[in-house]
Amino acid sequence: MIRGIYVAGSGMMTEATRTDVIANNLANASTAGYRKDVAIGKDFRSMLIRRINDGPNSPLIGSMGVGSVIDEVATIHEQGGIRPTGNKFDLAIEGRGFFAVETPAGVRYTRNGGFTRSAQGELVTVDGYRVLGQGGAIQLGDPESQVYIADDGRVMVDDAEADTLRIADFADVKRLVKEGANLFAAAPGQQEEPVAGITVRAGYLEHSNVNVVAEMVNLIAGYRAYEINGKAVQAHDSLLDKAVNDVGRV
Amino acid sequence: MMRALWTAGTGMVAQQANIDVISNNLANVNTTGFKKSRTDFQDLMYQTIRQAGAATGPDTQLPTGIQVGSGVRQVATQKIYTMGNFQNTGNQLDVAIEGDGFFRITMPDGTINYTRDGAFKMDSAGRVVTSEGYPLEPLITIPEGTTEITISSDGRVSAKIPNQTNAQDLGQIQLSRFINPAGLESVGRNLLKETAASGAPVDNIPGAEGAGTLVQKYLEMSNVQVVEEMVNMIVAERAYQMNSKAITTCDSMLEVAAGLKR
């Protein structure tokens, strides 16, 4: 059939996926510590067109694109805004790094520092997963103990240093895999690295880094690209209509 | 159908829940001892279309993959225990807690509930009770003919009775503290219930072991900051609108797709 109909169709599918990614960013505009995704498209390798029926040496007459596809959904690890919450166990990281959290599936990483003190006296996430310090789970003591978390990540319980938050960084944060529930998993073979000079703010939470204006603009651009590709499909359809029904009519 | 339609739908549902919580905070802006709540969100599952790290050659691999998220969910409403403002009422049975802790209230079924609302009253038998008539624990009974009640900062209640030289000691108010007060269950009527998440109560006299001290003739107002709630409401409304825009965009895209076949 006419190649262009598939090319335009692949363009529509690319834009549909892009819209899925934008919708997820918008849905998570209020999720603390959420990191936005960007869908990056690419063209398929163009193919070379040869003239045929020209004898043994069919000459090249140029190249033709065969459509687009989503190449990558990249997570943008840009700092989100920080807002005060009034809860002393809410933590926000300024700059690089992730809180290390112990989940049933292993150690996971998060930028959402909306933590609480559990009934067992440990610092936990909203899902009840333990937040890790250098020596494992962080013990905050009994209800009487006064807890203070310093800017450099030291956890002070009753004026004694109990532990230091395990803030992990990665050489290539883009390789981290999103798992949902605000958690990132390290890719196979990816090693955790310590962060130099961390700044933790107790009593603050980091917003998502979704820029809603940019997302709305991308939404519109994506929609129009989709519409235009739709028009190209229709134009091809009209051509086929002519070819099938009109050509050869006497 | 398009994933984005459902994804944006979860965003609308989440913002609606957010507005519910904000409305309740605003509705209780004048409720004595009320502590505001906040909604916490989480991103939902991700669908992996192409796995990062998959081999692309003998010694090469994909540096990044394709993961498309499926929206957001409300994961918790967390109570924020900052102090509310103090209001001078002049009423001698109004008590505010300055610092941590909750008053203990005996419910009709004998269980203990907890409150920061110190607007106490006296019932016909002279017992100190809440506005609902539930007695304070330990029970404090005010003798007939009392002219003046004094509640000290450490919770000692004494009554001045005519024709008696010394004030009569009526007992001591106790406060309960929890390792995780955010885990207490709100049961309405300014009352909170112990849960497995809050941990067991630790009872102390006011001022001891980190428990707050009492201030007589004052009430603790709610800690709701109207400006903050209004800002949160605006943000939530706009987030809701944006998600609805994503839905209408999706709908238009589906319309284009449907219009392809003539």
Side-chain angles (χ1 to χ4, degrees), chain B residues 20 26 55 66 76 79 90 97 102 104 126 128 131 141 189 221 224 230 234 240-242 248 250 252:
Chain B
D20 290 346
L26 283 173
I66 300 177
K79 276 221 173 294
I97 304 171
F102 297 88
R104 302 153 56 78
V128 174
S131 306
T141 309
R189 302 172 184 192
M221 297 286 94
V224 177
M230 294 312 280
I234 291 169
Y240 189 83
Q241 278 179 350
M242 279 177 321
T248 44
C250 253
S252 306

Side-chain angles (χ1 to χ4, degrees), chain A residues 96-97 134 166-171 191-198:
Chain A
R96 293 178 69 94
Q134 301 298 334
R166 177 166 146 194
I167 308 283
D169 195 10
F170 296 90
Q191 289 300 319
E192 201 180 292
E193 294 170 7
V195 193
I198 52 167

